[in-house]
Amino acid sequence: MHVNAAAENALGTIGTVCWTIQLIPQVWKSWRTKSTEGLSEWLMLLWGLSGTTMAVYAITKDLNVPLILQPHLFCTLSYLSWAQCQYYGRKRSKWTAIAMYVGVLVLSGGFEVGMIYAIKPSYHGGNIRPVQFFGIFSSVLISLALLPQYWEIYKYKEVIGISVLFMLVDMLGGVFSDLSLAFKEEFDIIAGVTYSLVVAMDAVVVVCAFTLNPVAKRRRKQTAIAENTDVRDNTIEGGTGVERQGGIALRARESSVTADASERA
């Protein structure tokens, strides 16, 4: 495609907006239900770390402003969801979860600044390997982060805890970010692989949600029907037993009365 700075920034901005708001449905769902069951805390922690390493890559490579802003917002919201996992899932105190959230943000920020100052001089000197390492490492983290979530899906045999809307918006963010790279003077392969991995691996979760969740819903319904049938059968059997015992007692009383009448006669 031809170089088009306006299209690059417009598409990058749309991708950034998607990746700014994509975790809001997840944070809202966890807060509303007061539960993070089925949501992997490792997914959120590793995604936060991947955002930090991607920020080092984006700033050093001088990508467009939206693509520099995106990993910072992404890691901030990922860490927030991770803190919710500590509070709702691991039952840590509110202040402990807040302290962990602030602590991981400070550590990530310090790491990012330190790495940028460490590798930028060598990058401008023609050594691109350190920058490539951070870009590739970010892609690896994004991929590995979803593996624990896949395990949660396998364990529960359905997608619970994680917001499907979050996954869909996250996929759109990857698509628009990929498109923005197409309008650069030189397509950034590492950034493109990172964004494409997000789309592909999010799609797995979405497909699982639309295929496994209806099956799980039917399974729960059938289980509930079977349990209600068992309760009704037990009630009927119990009632029959009581009636049978009552009949025996009544016949015994009738026999006793007849015997007494015979004796008096």
Side-chain angles (χ1 to χ4, degrees):
M1 289 187 180
H2 296 293
V3 176
N4 189 326
E8 176 191 351
N9 279 284
L11 292 169
T13 300
I14 295 173
T16 299
V17 170
C18 289
W19 273 338
T20 301
I21 66 174
Q22 104 275 35
L23 271 164
I24 293 176
Q26 182 61 56
V27 172
W28 168 256
K29 180 178 183 179
S30 299
W31 177 82
R32 180 174 54 83
T33 60
K34 301 295 186 289
S35 171
T36 55
E37 184 181 10
L39 174 65
S40 171
E41 64 179 292
W42 290 105
L43 168 66
M44 294 304 164
L45 179 61
L46 291 175
W47 269 9
L49 293 173
S50 73
T52 302
T53 55
M54 191 62 191
V56 174
Y57 178 84
I59 292 174
T60 307
K61 289 277 290 184
D62 196 25
L63 299 182
N64 58 66
V65 173
L67 293 185
I68 291 175
L69 182 62
Q70 179 274 322
H72 294 92
L73 297 172
F74 178 69
C75 75
T76 300
L77 291 172
S78 294
Y79 284 145
L80 177 58
S81 186
W82 173 74
Q84 286 183 314
C85 290
Q86 305 309 306
Y87 181 59
Y88 295 124
R90 292 189 173 271
K91 307 300 181 185
R92 302 186 193 275
S93 70
K94 181 185 293 186
W95 290 110
T96 298
I98 291 174
M100 293 176 72
Y101 176 54
V102 173
V104 75
L105 284 176
V106 171
L107 288 174
S108 295
F111 174 80
E112 178 188 330
V113 172
M115 290 299 99
I116 290 172
Y117 276 105
I119 68 174
K120 215 168 187 180
S122 62
Y123 174 72
H124 289 307
N127 184 5
I128 64 172
R129 288 189 177 181
V131 180
Q132 288 180 332
F133 167 78
F134 279 99
I136 294 170
F137 189 60
S138 176
S139 301
V140 171
L141 280 179
I142 286 176
S143 303
L144 292 178
L146 275 163
L147 296 181
Q149 188 60 51
Y150 292 163
W151 169 252
E152 294 292 326
I153 294 171
Y154 173 78
K155 184 169 64 176
Y156 287 99
K157 301 296 186 292
E158 61 179 317
V159 179
I160 63 172
I162 192 165
S163 169
V164 176
L165 179 60
F166 151 48
M167 290 282 102
L168 289 171
V169 177
D170 197 43
M171 287 174 62
L172 287 176
V175 170
F176 284 112
S177 295
D178 257 342
L179 290 174
S180 74
L181 293 175
F183 289 97
K184 285 181 67 66
E185 184 176 353
E186 181 181 352
F187 186 85
D188 194 305
I189 296 176
I190 294 176
V193 169
T194 301
Y195 302 144
S196 299
L197 276 174
V198 171
V199 175
M201 300 193 77
D202 283 353
V204 173
V205 178
V206 173
V207 170
C208 287
F210 286 121
T211 55
L212 295 180
N213 286 17
V215 174
K217 186 177 181 180
R218 288 195 297 269
R219 185 169 61 245
R220 285 193 296 269
K221 186 176 181 180
Q222 291 170 355
T223 301
I225 292 173
E227 289 175 351
N228 290 336
T229 302
D230 291 341
V231 171
R232 186 170 60 252
D233 291 344
N234 291 335
T235 302
I236 292 173
E237 290 176 2
T240 303
V242 170
E243 291 172 0
R244 188 181 299 113
Q245 291 175 1
I248 294 171
L250 179 59
R251 286 193 295 273
R253 285 197 299 272
E254 289 175 348
S255 300
S256 177
V257 170
T258 303
D260 290 344
S262 298
E263 289 175 359
R264 284 197 298 272

